[in-house]
Amino acid sequence: MNIHSHDMEREPSRDEAEAALALLRKWANGVTPEEVATLDPLVSRLIPGSEVSNYPALARAYPEDFVVDEDYKASMPDLQNGPSSLIRGAKQTIQHVGISNFRLPIRFHAREGGEVTLETSVTGTVSLEAEKKGINMSRIMRTFYKHAEKTFSFDVISDALDAYKEDLESFDARIQMRFRYPMKVESLRSGLDGYQYYDIALELIEKAGVRKKIIHLDYVYSSTCPCSLELSEHARQFRGQLATPHSQRSVARISAVLDENSKTLWFEDLIEIARAAVPTETQVMVKREDEQAFAELNAANPIFVEDAARLFCEQLQKDPRIGDFQVVASHQESLHSHDAVSVLTEGKTFNTDSLDPKLFSTLYHVG
């Protein structure tokens, strides 16, 4: 076959490619696999049976002295940032893509002054346009780390969001930070105190150019069933029968959108709002007088799960710093083999027809 230089500049036809492949295979049948690999190691993939194990010989020792320069980096494949032709599946916009649960120590301001450093789990996502293959996941983490030494507030989270939104050339983005916030709580009567830990998450969302600041709090309390309380008292009054009402550890997840023009809503503020609504918070340090006081406090505040949702709602509505909100309550029954649950929302932010199938199963406080 004669190949002329001017022919090399044109696009070969399929027939010509098939003819070339047939010729290559005919030649390979008459030579050793080593000769095939010498021509080009990639050729052996086209010739079944002519593969050479470990050809060319690959180094097995880690190259301690190897230095990556710009030319080498430019030669490395980057499939996630490849052309749209590499997209698998539907060419559809993805609302959130990123990384979840990368952890690092973060400093937060306390309401009474000072700072507290807490292990924090961070989730960072961006939107992905339909014609883009993917994102560089590690870039989210690298960008966030540039702000990790600062004492965090929503302003710092906003700066981090701006940075990785720009780095990843995305139009929507989200950062969520989860941690356990310690707060010293005094016992009811003995004067002892101890640290209560509150599961809190800060979330900053940008969608269609609009940003929302959201704070989430899991508040753990005891709920005494009003019906059970009345039935127990009925047994005492009419039959002289000792009876105890059932009560149980309960959890409310409060999610609140913060008003942009209002003063800071501190973590301690939201905890106190929850405590004002339902004062039967589980206790840390307890002596006998505290245990008796807790029994009296529960008897003074019996609540169904519906009551709990509305009591939290009442207190949240009073605070001008809070806009839309959601209350998800779970009373983990000691009477029944199932839980009693309720969901109350105000505003459009949390209003949805569907619930996460495992939402309520995440409302267990593990201590």
Side-chain angles (χ1 to χ4, degrees):
M1 176 183 289
N2 293 324
I3 300 177
H4 302 288
S5 59
H6 67 274
D7 288 337
M8 298 297 290
E9 297 176 1
R10 67 178 178 82
E11 193 72 25
S13 68
R14 181 180 178 86
D15 289 342
E16 289 173 321
E18 289 178 350
L21 182 58
L23 181 65
L24 181 63
R25 286 174 172 165
K26 183 178 180 180
W27 169 77
N29 286 334
V31 299
T32 65
E34 287 73 18
E35 287 181 272
V36 174
T38 301
L39 177 66
D40 188 330
L42 295 177
V43 170
S44 61
R45 298 182 184 179
L46 302 175
I47 316 295
S50 295
E51 302 89 345
V52 177
S53 176
N54 200 30
Y55 185 92
L58 301 178
R60 293 181 177 271
Y62 179 73
E64 298 279 357
D65 299 328
F66 178 69
V67 177
V68 177
D69 59 23
E70 292 302 319
D71 288 340
Y72 185 83
K73 283 194 285 187
S75 73
M76 297 174 72
D78 186 1
L79 294 180
Q80 279 298 80
N81 292 306
S84 59
S85 59
L86 295 178
I87 291 175
R88 300 187 64 186
K91 289 187 179 180
Q92 188 77 15
T93 296
I94 299 176
Q95 284 72 36
H96 295 284
V97 59
I99 56 178
S100 176
N101 197 34
F102 75 87
R103 293 173 294 170
L104 64 170
I106 293 291
R107 295 198 308 274
F108 295 94
H109 294 289
R111 184 179 63 180
E112 306 307 323
E115 300 173 347
V116 57
T117 300
L118 303 172
E119 178 185 330
T120 303
S121 169
V122 181
T123 295
T125 65
V126 294
S127 57
L128 183 65
E129 297 171 50
E131 67 276 8
K132 289 185 177 179
K133 165 66 176 169
I135 68 166
N136 187 323
M137 298 281 182
S138 65
R139 191 173 293 174
I140 291 178
M141 195 167 176
R142 295 198 306 270
T143 302
F144 192 89
Y145 258 82
K146 294 176 183 176
H147 301 269
E149 297 303 317
K150 301 175 183 177
T151 302
F152 265 67
S153 64
F154 269 113
D155 289 337
V156 177
I157 301 174
S158 185
D159 291 342
L161 191 76
D162 284 335
Y164 81 65
K165 187 166 173 273
E166 179 179 348
D167 285 349
L168 293 160
E169 300 177 343
S170 179
F171 49 88
D172 291 341
R174 176 193 306 257
I175 290 178
Q176 185 182 91
M177 302 171 64
R178 294 184 294 111
F179 49 89
R180 305 195 77 194
Y181 188 75
M183 186 172 168
K184 191 168 282 189
V185 178
E186 189 172 326
S187 60
L188 293 172
R189 286 181 181 153
S190 67
L192 298 174
D193 58 24
Y195 280 102
Q196 190 83 273
Y197 280 81
Y198 298 91
D199 289 340
I200 291 177
L202 301 180
E203 189 172 24
L204 181 63
I205 303 168
E206 178 167 333
K207 185 176 181 181
V210 177
R211 289 195 176 179
K212 288 184 179 180
K213 301 174 182 177
I214 302 174
I215 181 170
H216 306 268
L217 164 70
D218 279 11
Y219 178 72
V220 184
Y221 58 100
S222 173
S223 59
T224 294
C225 174
C227 183
S228 182
L229 178 60
E230 292 297 325
L231 291 172
S232 296
E233 290 305 304
H234 182 276
R236 291 171 188 260
Q237 181 180 352
F238 286 87
R239 295 189 290 117
Q241 176 64 49
L242 179 65
T244 58
H246 78 84
S247 60
Q248 52 275 320
R249 185 181 292 178
S250 305
V251 181
R253 180 164 298 153
I254 298 170
S255 302
V257 178
L258 306 187
D259 185 270
E260 280 288 333
N261 302 314
S262 297
K263 295 180 181 178
T264 301
L265 180 73
W266 296 93
F267 306 144
E268 295 90 340
D269 294 339
L270 187 57
I271 292 165
E272 288 172 1
I273 287 171
R275 195 179 294 144
V278 178
T280 51
E281 181 179 18
T282 54
Q283 301 294 294
V284 181
M285 300 292 285
V286 175
K287 296 181 75 173
R288 283 180 298 171
E289 58 266 39
D290 300 311
E291 186 169 356
Q292 185 180 67
F294 193 62
E296 294 171 11
L297 186 64
N298 272 268
N301 295 275
I303 49 172
F304 294 116
V305 74
E306 301 94 329
D307 300 324
R310 287 170 173 155
L311 287 165
F312 288 121
C313 173
E314 181 181 43
Q315 293 299 319
L316 292 166
Q317 286 175 330
K318 290 180 181 179
D319 198 306
R321 295 170 294 181
I322 294 173
D324 292 355
F325 61 81
Q326 174 177 263
V327 177
V328 182
S330 174
H331 289 189
Q332 289 141 34
E333 297 273 333
S334 62
L335 169 64
H336 301 291
S337 298
H338 53 264
D339 302 333
V341 298
S342 64
V343 179
L344 185 155
T345 65
E346 179 158 305
K348 296 180 179 179
T349 301
F350 304 103
N351 192 12
T352 176
D353 293 331
S354 176
L355 291 176
D356 178 349
K358 295 191 176 182
L359 171 63
F360 298 112
S361 66
T362 67
L363 290 177
Y364 284 89
H365 181 73
V366 295

